[in-house]
Amino acid sequence: MTDQTNPLPGQPYPDEAGEDRVDDDDWTFADDDQTAWDDDDFWGDEADPEPGELDLAERHSLRRVAGLSTELADVAEVEYRQLRLERVVLVSVWTTGSQADADNAMFELKALAETAGSQVLDGLVQRRSSPDPATYIGRGKVDELREVVQDTGADTVICDGELSPAQLRTLEDRVGVKVVDRTALILDIFAQHAKSAEGKAQVELAQLNYLKQRLRGWGTSLSRQVGGRASGGVGIGGRGPGETKIETDRRRINHRISVLRKRLRDMASTRAVKRADRQRHRIPAVAIVGYTNAGKSSLLNRLTHAGVLVEDALFATLDPTTRRATTADGRVYTLTDTVGFVRHLPTDLVEAFRSTLEETVDADLLVHVVDGSDPDPQGQIAAVRQVLADIGAADRAEQLVINKIDQAHPDMITILRNQYPQAVFVSARTGQGLDLLREAIEQRLPSPRTEITALLPWDRGDLVDRVHRESELISLDHHGDGTIVRARVHPELAAQLQPYTLPDGADSSGTEEQ
């Protein structure tokens, strides 16, 4: 393996021809000192100036982000990954926010790339007021990116944004390797992790919607399809442009999209029947939502022993899982683990997974799980709430849960406690704080409002069972004539108990007080 270490700016190093070449001053490195980016002389008096106030040369400069290269220590792993994994370079345009926000976004892109199955070689960030409409990072900087790709031996460039078809085509032509944007990367991860028939159909629908706008012809694919007699055509007078290959592909994609949408509607109706059954029996629903890899599946396993797949990876579980849980007073409710969210979640994915996300919209309570060990948990909270607003679940009751407190920095825990005093701090791995979480969920579940006292005969054990499952039981006594229950119930159950209701002044023996 050759040494891929780059020299400092201004230092000569040999190129392929053996001559010394000097790196230009547009490159700055995110080293430990952060000299080039933290110095007051760089930004002036303000830490985060308006994009229009940036110096033109600095605005168009690329900055290499340290610490993004995937570490490969084991020799066997190195040889395996060289054969199997794509070698990628990450590129991002920093338009707003602080440097820490830009670096956090790049490290998240690195995690996405590694989850998709690639080896990250380098990461570059350019400071611009907005992405270049033609090449995303500016025409002049594309040549510098091509040099980095050639020096590192990368075969793929991943951009932290959704690129237009023109941007993708221009970048690939000028850089000389495959270019992938953030949307395609997330779709690829979903395609790897989809297991159920519904999950696979949802991912395929999102991929086709994304691909439909990015079709392009290749060489003879755009040639005429109608020719002379030798080619099986209609001969003289029938020659013409015919239908191009790209039009045929687009029609086939549209047909496949319609088939998938019909299939998903049928699957959604099945889930709607189950959901209606729970609603008819007044079973409260709790949905676990949160950022990807925040620990939602681990929390569901801890609370219900569901046995859901748990993996330290982004989007490890895509299919919703619903399990039954019971409160301390015997009430039954459901817990549903939903798909994880991420910053700038592709709109095609939100549309394709809308039937799955209906479990979130119809929930009585949202348990919002946040990774307390993440460098930017506040950003996770904002991103999840934005997605909830997009799907129409912003008005749902929310219980904030800060997870992974055993790995989080104590200072960050203190900050989060001050910012979110109503949050519950837990560790799904160690079990710390889970009792407090159960109590918080039980307190925020919708409770019946009609209080009744009824003497149920021994042959109406079905009503006693419904009182246990669907109501808030206050007291229960067994007597010779039956069971006297005192509980807060829903109006529907109160109507069925009305024939057995005791007068308001009746005591526990069923006799009226004098």
Side-chain angles (χ1 to χ4, degrees), residues 22-37:
V22 179
D23 194 16
D24 59 28
D25 292 335
D26 286 338
W27 292 96
T28 56
F29 289 73
D31 54 9
D32 294 337
D33 297 331
Q34 299 291 340
T35 305
W37 289 79

Side-chain angles (χ1 to χ4, degrees), residues 23-27 60-64 124 137-151 174-175:
D23 194 16
D24 59 28
D25 292 335
D26 286 338
W27 292 96
H60 288 175
S61 66
L62 284 172
R63 180 178 63 89
R64 181 172 276 110
L124 308 174
I137 57 173
R139 294 181 180 272
K141 296 305 171 184
V142 175
D143 296 334
E144 300 181 25
L145 174 61
R146 183 173 64 249
E147 292 181 3
V148 174
V149 169
Q150 293 173 353
D151 292 341
R174 297 191 60 181
V175 177

Side-chain angles (χ1 to χ4, degrees), residues 367-386:
V367 176
H368 183 175
V369 184
V370 183
D371 184 359
S373 63
D374 188 81
D376 184 23
Q378 297 90 341
Q380 287 193 1
I381 296 174
V384 171
R385 288 177 174 172
Q386 179 60 46

Side-chain angles (χ1 to χ4, degrees), residues 196-217:
S196 66
E198 183 176 16
K200 292 178 180 179
Q202 290 169 330
V203 173
E204 184 181 356
L205 176 61
Q207 288 178 320
L208 292 177
N209 283 324
Y210 173 82
L211 179 62
K212 183 174 65 173
Q213 307 300 327
R214 291 163 175 80
L215 289 178
R216 53 179 172 175

Side-chain angles (χ1 to χ4, degrees), residues 310-368:
V310 174
E311 184 180 0
D312 186 14
L314 304 184
F315 302 112
T317 54
L318 301 182
D319 302 318
T321 302
T322 301
R323 292 293 183 268
R324 170 176 170 169
T326 307
T327 63
D329 56 4
R331 286 181 294 161
V332 176
Y333 65 97
T334 61
L335 271 172
T336 302
D337 179 22
T338 61
V339 62
F341 301 147
V342 72
R343 293 179 182 89
H344 312 300
L345 191 66
T347 55
D348 290 335
L349 273 179
V350 175
E351 181 64 28
F353 279 77
R354 185 167 297 277
S355 59
T356 300
L357 296 175
E358 288 177 358
E359 299 287 346
T360 302
V361 179
D362 296 332
D364 297 298
L365 175 65
L366 301 181
V367 176
H368 183 175

